[in-house]
Amino acid sequence: MAAIHLSRGKNKEHSMDRLRNIPKLDLILKDERFLNLNRKYGEKLVKLCTKEGLESMRSAILAGGDGEHISIDLDTICFFTERCIEERSRSSLVNVINATGVVLHTNLGRSLLSEKAAEAAARVARNYVSLEFDMESGNRGHRDEAAAAVIRELTGAEDAAVVNNNAAAVLIVLAAISKDSEVLVSRGELVEIGGSFRIPDVMELSGGRLKEVGTTNMTRLSDYEKSISENTGLLLKVHTSNYRIVGFHSETSVSDLSNLSKKTGIPLYVDLGSGSLMETREFTSEHEDTVQEVLRSGADIISFSGDKLLGGPQAGIIAGRRDLVEKVRNHPLMRALRPDKMTLAALEATLKSWLLEDGEGIPVKHILTRDKALIRVECDRMCSRLQQMGFEASVREVSSASGGGTLPASDIPSYGVHVKAKANSLLSAEDLRTLLRLGEDPVIARVTKDEVVLDLRTVREWEQNIIESKFSLIAKGWW
Ligand SMILES: *Cc1c(COP(=O)(O)O)cnc(C)c1O
């Protein structure tokens, strides 16, 4: 990579002279080389990129240093133009290597789809499909029918519906069931999920009236009982997915609320957040009630995300009593919140992997339950390679996290490679982290106590080779 040095005053005038030699845009575009580009990429893009190319050429010349030697001819301008066209046609969503150990990293796209789910999405993307078409009768069907059928089988729910994400699910359930009535929520559960999604605000949007119950740390069944009036339309329980209240604390269980719901005829809605189908003790010390357990405890309707512990595409899954799900499905908001065919195909494939207990078919499950002894072996191997390159590196125990606002209090034991810069280098750990992030195949890592930490739980085998090559370039000073 050519370094461009900062301008030194004395060459400024010379540079200005050279700038005057750059041909006019109109003339450039009439040249055969540019007419060729037009045929390949279209006039509009070529004109835009020629302008941009000329701009970067001007800045390089003005900056002096190596830039001064740029020759002002049409070949060079053509080179700058093509580079701009290339940059513009590349996707801005680049693959990154997640060495943070955060399995459901919201900024990195949360869950990884299985091959089957990704293939299903790609296949329906390319074809006309039976999305809202009942093949037997030739009549119109529901687009989420196939996914709903698997959700029913997996969870025991009477019926299910799918929307774009769980935030949308909360909105539409509240709008369909509690509009113009009071919704009882514990003061300990008035949560903010992130990105300005706060339960009180969503409630207002939905037309339901929030009635707070109990206190932040204590909400008893009697608090709910006392607050019920003829205006009460819904009991809402929100899973405090992204934080935990510890110490003097008690909340009312789903089964107690369900008894109250049966006694009064007021439905009970549980927003589960991550909605695990598996026993979370398989990979951490914390137990989180599974979707099946919450339904068995008597929730009338529940919702959870498709891309948290379920390990599927971004989606919001609503499941429960048939009459309530039907109300949600027929609500006008459904049209605004319904998922597209790719999401539905990927979701159905993911759900079927759960049904078939095809563990390998669900990368999120596989990553969360990976044996830490095997992670240690991979860390040891990477560590010794980095040491051979001259880095100060060691392998230590670290904690992975499930992330994405799930299981906030649990840590998942793992191993990480801790790297300091080379002994004779001026690079800080922050510098090292930045260099790993730049260029092709960005690697996202943490820094703690002036060391870069690479938690290999979330790094696949072929990605480990890429990480090592990046370190090898850094060791040679090629950056
Ligand atoms: C994550 C979460 C949501 C939002 O789900 P998205 O799928 O991210 O829209 C809503 N409620 C709870 C309790 C959550 O944990």
Side-chain angles (χ1 to χ4, degrees):
M1 213 184 291
I4 293 178
H5 302 291
L6 293 176
S7 116
R8 314 224 166 76
K10 67 180 166 82
N11 290 326
K12 197 95 185 174
E13 239 162 71
H14 171 61
S15 305
M16 296 302 279
D17 275 347
R18 301 192 64 219
L19 286 186
R20 279 190 270 277
N21 292 336
I22 297 181
K24 289 256 170 314
L25 183 66
D26 289 352
L27 284 178
I28 298 174
L29 291 173
K30 284 188 189 126
D31 179 83
E32 192 50 39
R33 276 157 285 197
F34 287 81
L35 294 176
N36 270 336
L37 287 183
N38 279 351
R39 283 188 274 278
K40 223 162 132 188
Y41 303 107
E43 266 177 59
K44 223 160 121 187
L45 183 64
V46 172
K47 186 169 174 186
L48 192 84
C49 285
T50 311
K51 267 194 200 161
E52 260 183 39
L54 285 174
E55 267 319 306
S56 41
M57 196 168 157
R58 279 195 191 97
S59 333
I61 291 172
L62 275 176
D66 291 353
E68 273 199 35
H69 307 299
I70 292 174
S71 49
I72 299 176
D73 55 39
L74 285 171
D75 277 332
T76 312
I77 299 172
C78 194
F79 166 81
F80 273 95
T81 303
E82 281 202 283
R83 200 170 67 176
C84 163
I85 292 174
E86 248 171 51
E87 269 168 28
R88 281 186 176 252
S89 35
R90 219 179 292 144
S91 167
S92 55
L93 279 180
V94 294
N95 295 356
V96 303
I97 295 173
N98 174 10
T100 62
V102 179
V103 182
L104 300 165
H105 200 304
T106 300
N107 304 138
L108 303 182
R110 279 200 196 155
S111 75
L112 302 180
L113 292 185
S114 65
E115 281 308 311
K116 272 186 201 155
E119 267 167 29
R123 177 181 63 76
V124 301
R126 296 193 189 95
N127 293 290
Y128 292 119
V129 291
S130 54
L131 184 63
E132 290 184 352
F133 195 76
D134 181 29
M135 299 309 279
E136 268 174 42
S137 63
N139 292 333
R140 212 185 143 160
H142 285 299
R143 62 173 55 209
D144 57 359
E145 186 42 47
V150 196
I151 297 164
R152 287 195 296 264
E153 282 175 51
L154 273 169
T155 65
E158 279 178 13
D159 201 0
V162 183
V163 288
N164 273 325
N165 50 36
N166 190 32
V170 176
L171 177 66
I172 197 171
V173 170
L174 292 177
I177 299 175
S178 71
K179 189 165 165 16
D180 300 327
S181 63
E182 281 174 3
V183 181
L184 306 194
V185 191
S186 159
R187 286 199 169 85
E189 296 170 7
L190 294 172
V191 304
E192 171 175 320
I193 308 301
S196 77
F197 185 85
R198 293 176 162 183
I199 290 296
D201 299 338
V202 179
M203 187 80 71
E204 204 175 311
L205 260 180
S206 73
R209 292 198 304 279
L210 174 66
K211 190 160 177 189
E212 299 177 20
V213 174
T215 62
T216 307
N217 59 330
M218 281 285 167
T219 306
R220 300 185 177 87
L221 185 61
S222 56
D223 293 317
Y224 288 91
E225 281 169 338
K226 272 187 291 198
S227 305
I228 287 183
S229 73
E230 76 239 26
N231 301 321
T232 311
L234 187 70
L235 307 176
L236 168 61
K237 185 166 177 62
V238 183
H239 186 59
T240 54
S241 326
N242 50 8
Y243 69 101
R244 284 282 177 275
I245 300 175
V246 292
F248 188 55
H249 165 240
S250 159
E251 57 183 283
T252 309
S253 68
V254 173
S255 32
D256 282 350
L257 283 172
S258 162
N259 288 336
L260 180 62
S261 155
K262 290 204 174 73
K263 218 159 61 188
T264 56
I266 301 166
L268 169 64
Y269 168 33
V270 183
D271 171 17
L272 273 176
S274 40
S276 179
L277 293 177
M278 65 181 151
E279 172 52 71
T280 51
R281 281 208 206 91
E282 271 187 48
F283 56 90
T284 187
S285 54
E286 204 175 352
H287 168 76
E288 178 159 315
D289 282 350
T290 61
V291 173
Q292 303 89 309
E293 281 168 339
V294 174
L295 283 170
R296 252 187 271 127
S297 302
D300 295 297
I301 190 161
I302 59 164
S303 70
F304 55 96
S305 291
D307 57 349
K308 289 186 180 171
L309 293 176
L310 189 75
Q314 178 188 304
I317 294 165
I318 298 160
R321 250 167 57 189
R322 186 168 298 119
D323 59 324
L324 298 178
V325 174
E326 200 55 30
K327 270 191 184 173
V328 170
R329 193 177 277 132
N330 294 331
H331 192 276
L333 265 176
M334 191 46 133
R335 179 63 193 228
L337 304 178
R338 67 184 191 180
D340 76 324
K341 59 179 179 175
M342 291 177 280
T343 300
L344 286 167
L347 181 62
E348 188 192 346
T350 308
L351 291 164
K352 284 190 168 157
S353 288
W354 280 107
L355 197 62
L356 301 171
E357 297 185 13
D358 166 19
E360 288 297 310
I362 301 149
V364 167
K365 180 176 185 207
H366 171 72
I367 296 169
L368 283 168
T369 54
R370 274 182 73 195
D371 184 354
K372 78 174 189 172
L374 294 178
I375 300 175
R376 162 126 218 187
V377 172
E378 293 175 353
C379 283
D380 285 338
R381 194 174 51 207
M382 181 180 290
C383 181
S384 63
R385 290 196 186 138
L386 299 192
Q387 284 167 345
Q388 279 160 21
M389 296 174 200
F391 290 98
E392 223 181 284
S394 57
V395 175
R396 269 175 261 160
E397 272 192 32
V398 296
S399 292
S400 307
S402 60
T406 61
L407 300 165
S410 31
D411 64 86
I412 304 167
S414 180
Y415 281 97
V417 184
H418 292 236
V419 195
K420 281 194 176 153
K422 293 173 78 171
N424 56 358
S425 144
L426 293 174
L427 293 176
S428 67
E430 266 312 328
D431 295 334
L432 207 51
R433 173 161 81 155
T434 307
L435 289 173
L436 287 170
R437 197 178 58 234
L438 295 179
E440 263 177 65
D441 303 311
V443 176
I444 314 295
R446 280 185 288 143
V447 165
T448 41
K449 297 199 186 118
D450 214 32
E451 287 177 326
V452 169
V453 184
L454 304 155
D455 181 341
L456 295 192
R457 174 176 296 281
T458 45
V459 180
R460 288 160 294 175
E461 203 152 353
W462 71 90
E463 294 175 322
Q464 292 166 20
N465 299 335
I466 298 176
I467 294 179
E468 287 166 17
S469 327
K470 282 198 86 120
F471 271 105
S472 139
L473 290 179
I474 294 169
K476 291 177 187 146
W478 290 355
W479 37 272

